[in-house]
Amino acid sequence: MKCRFFLLDINEDRSAAKPTVRLWGLNDRGERVLILATQILPYFYYMPDEKDDPDSVRERLLKPGTKFTKILRIEIEKKKKLLGLPCNVLRITCSDSEVLTAYARDILKDLGKGTTYEEDLRLSVRYVTDTELTLCGWQEFEVEPIQDDRFAVDSVFAAEALPAKSPEDTPPAMRILAFSLLTVGERGSAKPEMDPIRAIAVATGKGKVEILLNEGKDDSQLLTDFVAFTREFDPDIIVGFESNSLVWPYIIQRCKLRKIKLALGRDGSEPHTSMFGHVSVAGRADVDLFDITVGIAEIKVNNIENLARYLQTPSSGKAETIEESDRFILWKDESGRRKLAENAKANAQIMLELAEAAINFPMQLSALTGLPLDQVMTAAVGFRVDSYLIKQAHMLAELIPPRVEQPFFTYRGAIVLEPKTGLHDNVVALDFSSMYPSLMEKYNLSPDTLVRPAEKVSEDSVFIIPEVNHRFRKQPNGFYRTVLKELIEQRNRIKGEVTKLEEKSTRYRVLRERERAVKIITNACYGYAGWAGARWYAREVAESAAALGRDTITKTIAKADSLGLKVIYGDTDSIFVTDDHKKVEQLVKWAKQEVDLEIKREREYVRILFTEAMKRYAGLVPDGSLDIVGLEVVRGDWSDIAREVQEQVLTRILCEQSTEKAIEDVRTTIRKLKNGEVPIINLTIRKTLTKQIEDYKVRTPHVEVAKLLVKQGWDLGVGDKVAYVIVKGSGKLFQKARPASQVNPKDIDIEYYLDNQIKPAAMRILERFGVNETQLAV
DNA sequence: AACTGTGGCCAGTAGA
DNA sequence: TCTACTGGCCACAGTT
């Protein structure tokens, strides 16, 4: 029988007698389905030395009595390519996916030469590439129902054949469970070894939120209730916040302690940490909203409130994170406990809304890259590109290079122009559209087209890259050219389709996110090519793209000059010029004709201000808002008070062109600070721990405060933000830093905030207008 | 002991 | 994923 099937998760069935892939998802009747597929067997490639005859190598490996008892068959493939060149390889198929790496190693040792490929691809990856199926997408399967009550699904099927693509492309309705833990630690953060879970809030739909309470003497019953609730509701997607790093580890540890089986998987298994540090729940997609906030550059502090504000979901205003230290105080009495419970419920409800609003992008990224939904947001950019390229390479019959430790070389990057300082009226920022990918495609930059220095080729058969003198063959198309062409075309196709759709329709939203996913992968290819961990790493490719970029922008500046356009600033692929429409049009035309690249009018500025610094400016755009780049206002490591005062100054200068009003604003802020009217939260400075506390070579305020908090029982590590303020006293700054939550307002070092926060932030702008610091005195 | 200059550590941003 | 850039602050050396 036929089964139309939306694939949500894929993994290998390690308990099966023969290599089996489990495909979890929904059918077109909204039933939960598991398909067991045995069509794709594990295999790897062996490429013999040139002098060796593939047939005799084959004979030798298949001879009875060798240790390779799990080799099922060996085929000679003549169509495979390595770096674009055809080659003969042995495809060695095995009956057990566990033996691939060992066999590859042993064959190399036994034969003493040749190379192996693709033994590092897991069976589920093999299945995705070989069948070209789409994660978070629809396919059609020919299946036979089977009886197997190990799985909590509506039907289990055995696949009879490989899947076929289905035209349908909007996801089915899925059940989403959002959950939030309530934990309370007496000293510092709650510790799973000692602090039981007090409650778990679970949201399953609009207004459908409840709280599971811990009413026993420990949390055994609560954990059991949580398992029962989850199994009963049977979600397709489970959503948490910091669930991978904190919440799941906490629950898992509590269950271990209380000896409770956390059987949440659709196969009855427990959640476990898997690839890229994400937590995997068999048959369901575990999505951590934290990973989604990390992916949104506009969000400085990654919490639920900020994600809610950014996505503007219905209950976004109700989100609130209660600090751990406050939780302990609230927990002491009944009304506080009620407040905590309400907060956990509100958070779960909001997380559900956020998941519904934000899930399209991860789904589209999953479909594009072939990484399962629960891994795709946790995976670093490089691994997303890697996964995408593996799929593409397979389709092009290219052998997939292994990931190897490579020596690392830096190279010269982009050009940034010295800005013309001061105020400028009527300016336009011109950007090249996807400059690096376009250049990589145009000049066929790829590891397989790169001509090694010793190699002799005729000059007109290669592109010679300016400055760096690397050579790339014009033909045939390199791997990156093929892939980027397809990506760029795909993006244009989607863009064309989107314009025909109604903005509110589901398909519109899906396609918009698909376009975003394609854009992200396209832009990441340049950085990926220069990443030593990449399978398709070639420093020369990234270096050449950067050199061509410099060449392009330099020529563009010269052209703008010759047209009489005043170039005020430029960074990488953009130039800021005085907006003379006719001349700008000429420049755009020139770019199209002479360098075959598209220049877009990216932003217009009524007025724009540059200081001496590169990458820092502020402009007034026609709708009256400010576009602030690089300055303290947009930095997360300055206090609110400094950021706010700088924003006021910029508004006065750019909108009203009044230095006097700006000065008065600064004075007002200074007065407030001196009168003690500024709350601690506006004086708090936040910095991230980018390494283990003991690895720091210098003593800095945020590290010192982190050490203090650790001593108090807090659990702080890489990636945690430390919030501190500076208090009165003597000595170095790091000796005067205190945790923001533990400071009395009267201890604040007013002078520090004046001299090191407010004044520098304000003067950065005001000194351009001849203002002296003494004029700020009150 | 207090100050000054300088190199380097560090976090964060801009642009892809 | 990459490089370019800013600017605070520490650590240390040399000077007053």
Side-chain angles (χ1 to χ4, degrees):
Chain A
M1 60 184 278
K2 280 239 183 301
C3 174
R4 290 214 325 117
F5 177 75
F6 183 85
L7 175 59
L8 199 56
D9 194 19
I10 181 167
N11 48 24
E12 186 176 352
D13 183 351
R14 298 204 177 270
S15 64
K18 54 182 176 175
T20 306
V21 170
R22 291 175 176 173
L23 303 141
W24 304 89
L26 286 83
N27 68 11
D28 52 5
R29 292 200 300 275
E31 295 163 335
R32 275 65 194 172
V33 167
L34 168 65
I35 297 177
L36 302 173
T38 51
Q39 283 75 19
I40 300 290
L41 291 168
Y43 64 84
F44 64 100
Y45 289 107
Y46 172 75
M47 182 161 65
D49 204 67
E50 265 177 46
K51 284 166 284 195
D52 282 339
D53 169 39
D55 281 303
S56 54
V57 176
R58 182 174 178 273
E59 299 285 298
R60 198 171 145 190
L61 291 173
L62 286 176
K63 208 159 44 189
T66 67
K67 59 190 163 190
F68 305 115
T69 52
K70 290 184 172 172
I71 293 181
L72 286 175
R73 55 177 187 266
I74 301 179
E75 294 131 308
I76 295 167
E77 284 195 21
K78 294 189 171 159
K79 282 192 200 144
K80 275 285 166 184
K81 287 179 284 183
L82 177 64
L83 297 176
L85 298 173
C87 56
N88 280 342
V89 283
L90 306 180
R91 172 166 158 162
I92 302 172
T93 306
C94 302
S95 59
D96 180 352
S97 56
E98 309 267 324
V99 302
L100 292 193
T101 47
Y103 275 22
R105 197 186 49 229
D106 289 346
I107 286 174
L108 282 184
K109 206 160 68 187
D110 283 11
L111 300 173
K113 48 194 167 178
T115 330
T116 58
Y117 291 94
E118 305 189 15
E119 69 273 14
D120 58 338
L121 298 192
R122 289 169 305 128
L123 187 65
S124 57
V125 174
R126 184 92 271 166
Y127 192 87
V128 173
T129 55
D130 286 23
T131 62
E132 297 179 19
L133 56 51
T134 315
L135 272 293
C136 293
W138 289 92
Q139 10 267 319
E140 273 171 34
F141 273 93
E142 190 59 44
V143 294
E144 254 332 289
I146 48 175
Q147 202 50 48
D148 197 331
D149 47 22
R150 290 177 297 160
F151 304 108
V153 289
D154 298 316
S155 322
V156 183
F157 296 111
E160 301 272 271
L162 296 180
K165 279 234 179 331
S166 166
E168 172 69 44
D169 68 356
T170 43
M174 283 182 275
R175 286 196 291 265
I176 307 180
L177 167 72
F179 76 110
S180 160
L181 290 195
L182 174 56
T183 56
V184 179
E186 182 164 352
R187 268 193 306 272
S189 52
K191 299 275 185 301
E193 313 82 70
M194 42 194 283
D195 302 309
I197 300 169
R198 309 296 179 160
I200 303 177
V202 282
T204 55
K206 196 168 163 23
K208 287 185 193 157
V209 56
E210 55 184 288
I211 189 144
L212 310 174
L213 293 167
N214 171 358
E215 286 167 321
K217 61 179 188 324
D218 58 46
D219 49 5
S220 300
Q221 189 58 47
L222 173 62
L223 292 163
T224 313
D225 290 348
F226 177 61
V227 174
F229 181 91
T230 307
R231 293 188 68 81
E232 169 64 30
F233 177 64
D234 190 26
D236 304 304
I237 298 175
I238 303 181
V239 179
F241 193 85
E242 296 193 299
S243 47
N244 286 327
S245 56
L246 296 177
V247 178
W248 283 124
Y250 204 106
I251 297 179
I252 290 167
Q253 174 90 29
R254 290 306 301 172
C255 282
K256 207 186 264 168
L257 220 66
R258 301 263 67 94
K259 301 200 169 53
I260 286 165
K261 187 158 161 57
L262 190 59
L264 296 178
R266 279 186 165 144
D267 61 355
S269 68
E270 307 192 77
H272 63 278
T273 303
S274 177
M275 295 281 288
F276 316 117
H278 90 284
V279 172
S280 171
V281 183
R284 315 185 197 276
D286 173 63
V287 174
D288 187 345
L289 290 173
F290 181 80
D291 293 331
I292 293 178
T293 67
V294 169
I296 300 170
E298 288 87 343
I299 300 179
K300 305 277 180 225
V301 178
N302 298 310
N303 57 30
I304 297 174
E305 293 104 289
N306 288 343
L307 183 62
R309 201 170 305 141
Y310 180 81
L311 293 173
Q312 299 193 337
T313 47
S315 320
S316 60
K318 292 185 203 146
E320 187 197 356
T321 303
I322 301 180
E323 295 287 330
E324 210 132 9
S325 50
D326 297 333
R327 285 218 288 269
F328 178 64
I329 298 162
L330 283 167
W331 185 251
K332 285 180 185 159
D333 64 63
E334 198 48 45
S335 72
R337 289 186 184 199
R338 255 200 311 276
K339 188 175 176 203
L340 286 169
E342 285 309 313
N343 173 254
K345 274 165 76 176
N347 278 347
Q349 179 76 72
I350 290 157
M351 279 154 59
L352 186 71
E353 284 175 15
L354 294 175
E356 284 164 353
I359 199 73
N360 274 330
F361 176 66
M363 290 218 274
Q364 291 306 318
L365 199 59
S366 167
L368 185 70
T369 59
L371 286 170
L373 180 59
D374 58 354
Q375 294 178 30
V376 73
M377 293 312 286
T378 317
V381 179
F383 291 101
R384 295 179 192 165
V385 178
D386 223 39
S387 181
Y388 176 75
L389 293 180
I390 286 172
K391 281 193 358 172
Q392 298 303 306
H394 181 85
M395 289 192 235
L396 296 165
E398 282 275 349
L399 288 170
I400 294 157
R403 292 200 53 195
V404 283
E405 287 281 323
Q406 311 246 21
F408 168 76
F409 300 96
T410 54
Y411 59 89
R412 244 186 98 196
I415 294 179
V416 189
L417 299 186
E418 298 268 348
K420 292 204 166 43
T421 58
L423 278 179
H424 305 272
D425 286 351
N426 194 29
V427 168
V428 62
L430 306 171
D431 269 32
F432 282 101
S433 337
S434 35
M435 186 171 80
Y436 286 154
S438 303
L439 291 170
M440 284 171 75
E441 187 199 326
K442 188 175 166 194
Y443 292 93
N444 210 12
L445 308 182
S446 196
D448 44 331
T449 50
L450 174 67
V451 179
R452 300 286 155 193
E455 227 175 306
K456 292 254 184 298
V457 287
S458 76
E459 273 210 10
D460 54 351
S461 70
V462 293
F463 293 115
I464 301 172
I465 309 303
E467 263 184 87
V468 292
N469 293 322
H470 299 312
R471 297 173 298 168
F472 293 89
R473 269 180 252 281
K474 291 179 179 173
Q475 288 299 329
N477 289 346
F479 182 54
Y480 281 125
R481 177 187 265 180
T482 310
V483 168
L484 286 169
K485 225 183 191 130
E486 163 57 24
L487 279 169
I488 293 168
E489 275 166 19
Q490 195 179 340
R491 182 148 177 238
N492 289 336
R493 274 202 305 276
I494 299 169
K495 273 183 171 172
E497 216 175 315
V498 162
T499 53
K500 292 183 220 147
L501 294 169
E502 193 136 351
E503 278 198 28
K504 285 225 166 82
S505 67
T506 312
R507 213 175 127 73
Y508 175 90
R509 294 212 309 270
V510 167
L511 286 189
R512 277 291 299 271
E513 298 307 324
R514 184 172 303 169
E515 191 214 319
R516 230 179 102 206
V518 173
K519 180 185 170 181
I520 280 177
I521 296 296
T522 310
N523 281 341
C525 282
Y526 154 73
Y528 173 88
W531 172 45
R535 287 179 193 262
W536 284 272
Y537 168 66
R539 188 202 82 243
E540 294 88 343
V541 169
E543 195 171 32
S544 299
L548 287 163
R550 292 193 296 270
D551 190 53
T552 308
I553 204 76
T554 310
K555 283 178 180 154
T556 309
I557 292 163
K559 183 66 189 176
D561 274 337
S562 75
L563 286 169
L565 282 168
K566 194 164 113 193
V567 180
I568 292 154
Y569 176 67
D571 185 347
T572 312
D573 72 334
S574 71
I575 56 168
F576 290 59
V577 298
T578 45
D579 194 2
D580 180 330
H581 281 254
K582 220 167 160 191
K583 290 175 180 171
V584 167
E585 242 167 65
Q586 281 178 283
L587 187 71
V588 171
K589 210 162 152 198
W590 167 84
K592 187 85 211 134
Q593 284 170 356
E594 299 300 315
V595 285
D596 191 24
L597 288 173
E598 195 196 340
I599 290 182
K600 274 205 311 246
R601 293 176 63 95
E602 196 63 32
R603 279 176 308 280
E604 288 172 358
Y605 297 100
V606 176
R607 195 167 296 121
I608 190 165
L609 170 73
F610 284 97
T611 64
E612 280 87 0
M614 300 167 177
K615 295 184 185 277
R616 294 191 160 198
Y617 57 87
L620 172 64
V621 295
D623 73 6
S625 64
L626 296 186
D627 179 28
I628 302 172
V629 177
L631 292 161
E632 281 75 1
V633 176
V634 296
R635 292 182 64 93
D637 57 348
W638 283 72
S639 59
D640 283 355
I641 190 152
R643 298 211 307 261
E644 280 162 15
V645 86
Q646 190 181 60
E647 193 165 12
Q648 284 175 338
V649 169
L650 286 168
T651 308
R652 295 295 195 189
I653 299 276
L654 285 163
C655 304
E656 303 172 42
Q657 293 181 272
S658 168
T659 323
E660 289 71 31
K661 284 185 184 168
I663 294 172
E664 204 33 63
D665 283 346
V666 183
R667 285 186 181 148
T668 306
T669 303
I670 291 176
R671 257 182 238 116
K672 278 190 188 157
L673 178 67
K674 287 190 167 170
N675 291 340
E677 291 166 31
V678 180
I680 299 265
I681 187 145
N682 291 343
L683 300 172
T684 301
I685 300 165
R686 291 184 179 78
K687 276 198 168 76
T688 313
L689 294 171
T690 58
K691 47 187 156 186
Q692 301 282 349
I693 292 174
E694 52 275 18
D695 292 342
Y696 280 91
K697 287 179 184 154
V698 288
R699 302 178 73 178
T700 65
H702 78 298
V703 178
E704 290 300 303
V705 169
K707 284 182 195 160
L708 200 77
L709 288 168
V710 167
K711 222 182 263 173
Q712 293 175 12
W714 294 83
D715 185 15
L716 289 174
V718 179
D720 285 319
K721 274 215 180 349
V722 182
Y724 65 92
V725 289
I726 302 300
V727 297
K728 287 179 199 142
S730 59
K732 299 270 189 197
L733 197 61
F734 67 78
Q735 293 163 319
K736 307 200 296 170
R738 297 286 180 278
S741 54
Q742 301 170 16
V743 165
N744 191 320
K746 70 173 168 44
D747 296 328
I748 291 293
D749 184 350
I750 306 281
E751 292 308 311
Y752 172 82
Y753 284 93
L754 277 180
D755 295 339
N756 299 59
Q757 293 280 321
I758 295 177
K759 285 182 185 171
M763 286 307 293
R764 190 102 54 224
I765 312 302
L766 288 173
E767 68 182 352
R768 286 274 91 231
F769 299 91
V771 175
N772 193 294
E773 208 177 292
T774 54
Q775 289 173 259
L776 299 179
V778 291

